[in-house]
Amino acid sequence: MNLKCVVIDDEQHAIEVLTDHIAEMPGLTVFKTFTSPVQALTEISIDDEIDLLFMDIDMPGINGLELAKNIREKAKYLVFTTAHPDYALQAFDVQSDQYLLKPISFAKFALGIDRILKKEANNAKAASKDADQVAALYIKGDHKYAFSNIAIDEILYIKALQNYIQIITKTETHTTYLTLKEIEKALENHAFIRVNKSNIVAKTAIKKVDGNIIRLVNNEMIQIGEGYKEAFFAYVQSSLLKSNRSQ
């Protein structure tokens, strides 16, 4: 676990205290700091994928409560750090996860953030459990109460056949009434890639790539479609082992 943190406080000393605490806490890393709430408002993006947002409340220009209303959705967790205890109820209204009163000792910081870390760990376990639960697919067979259970890591590739698809595994072939788009959606969180209009391939099943031809581990060959080359070779490049030595 490595949660990305942003600190917003108009006092540099307060930022330094928090960044020191973050550095001491396993699982946290400082991403950005801001002494200007206006700058934070304009620069923080949802694409930053911030996990923890530490924010003072009493700041010039835009106070922390107002700022939180505009950027709360850009961070997973919000922690207010303030010298004023009377803002606690308003902090709850903007979905604050913790409310730390200054001065913030490391002990106070660690106890408050540990609750968030435990919540994040539990969420990760739940996500992992959900992933395990979809490690297999049930597909309909040739009559109303016939179903086949297919282990996803057994699939080599999937082929479109007009109104049907064929799922080719390491040991057998299954035919079912689905579209390629439907099975692609079902497998979007798994290691598969569309290589042409009619085929989805398991990345682990690719044995060799030679030009526009993919050779699979079962020695079947599939051609890469013209409209799919860019995405496919971008995937290959992202996994390519490269030497740093000069040629």
Side-chain angles (χ1 to χ4, degrees):
M1 191 189 319
N2 192 18
L3 302 186
K4 190 188 291 186
C5 303
V6 168
V7 181
I8 306 171
D9 198 304
D10 62 310
E11 296 181 354
Q12 184 61 37
H13 171 70
I15 289 178
E16 290 170 0
V17 168
L18 283 175
T19 54
D20 286 346
H21 291 346
I22 290 168
E24 290 292 319
M25 194 81 178
L28 303 183
T29 184
V30 177
F31 175 58
K32 288 181 180 178
T33 65
F34 297 92
T35 53
S36 165
V38 175
Q39 185 182 4
L41 176 66
T42 57
E43 291 190 14
I44 291 177
S45 164
I46 199 165
D47 294 331
D48 291 329
E49 297 182 339
I50 298 163
D51 294 298
L52 264 164
L53 185 58
F54 294 91
M55 192 187 306
D56 188 18
I57 292 180
D58 190 15
M59 295 186 290
I62 304 174
N63 70 42
L65 294 168
E66 293 169 333
L67 184 58
K69 291 175 184 178
N70 289 278
I71 65 173
R72 176 65 185 90
E73 64 181 12
K74 298 173 184 176
K76 193 178 292 185
Y77 301 102
L78 170 62
V79 177
F80 279 118
T81 57
T82 177
H84 304 283
D86 47 332
Y87 290 125
L89 187 59
Q90 291 166 277
F92 178 79
D93 290 338
V94 289
Q95 299 176 307
S96 170
D97 295 279
Q98 286 291 322
Y99 192 90
L100 300 180
L101 285 173
K102 297 177 180 179
I104 302 171
S105 66
F106 180 72
K108 185 188 293 185
F109 177 87
L111 288 170
I113 302 309
D114 184 59
R115 297 171 191 168
I116 291 175
L117 293 175
K118 285 176 179 174
K119 182 178 179 181
E120 187 68 9
N122 289 334
N123 289 344
K125 285 179 183 178
S128 177
K129 185 177 179 181
D130 290 343
D132 290 341
Q133 290 173 345
V134 297
L137 295 173
Y138 277 94
I139 61 169
K140 291 189 69 174
D142 54 5
H143 62 84
K144 185 176 180 181
Y145 297 107
F147 303 93
S148 294
N149 184 11
I150 303 173
I152 290 174
D153 60 4
E154 290 286 308
I155 299 172
L156 299 179
Y157 70 100
I158 301 157
K159 179 194 301 183
L161 297 171
Q162 294 181 336
N163 294 327
Y164 292 83
I165 60 167
Q166 277 189 336
I167 301 174
I168 296 88
T169 74
K170 296 173 183 178
T171 57
E172 54 191 336
T173 297
H174 302 267
T175 302
T176 189
Y177 186 73
L178 284 170
T179 66
L180 206 61
K181 183 175 286 188
E182 287 168 335
I183 193 71
E184 186 176 25
K185 176 68 175 175
L187 295 172
E188 65 181 355
N189 293 322
H190 299 274
F192 288 81
I193 187 165
R194 183 85 169 261
V195 297
N196 57 42
K197 289 182 179 179
S198 303
N199 293 103
I200 296 170
V201 171
K203 293 175 180 178
T204 55
I206 299 171
K207 182 178 181 180
K208 187 177 180 181
V209 180
D210 189 357
N212 294 331
I213 302 298
I214 298 168
R215 183 184 292 275
L216 302 180
V217 292
N218 64 350
N219 287 322
E220 289 195 49
M221 291 184 287
I222 297 176
Q223 186 167 346
I224 304 166
E226 194 64 36
Y228 299 84
K229 285 182 183 178
E230 185 176 350
F232 179 80
F233 286 108
Y235 153 68
V236 172
Q237 284 293 326
S238 71
S239 305
L240 186 65
L241 289 178
K242 301 175 184 177
S243 173
N244 291 323
R245 294 176 298 178
S246 58
Q247 299 296 319

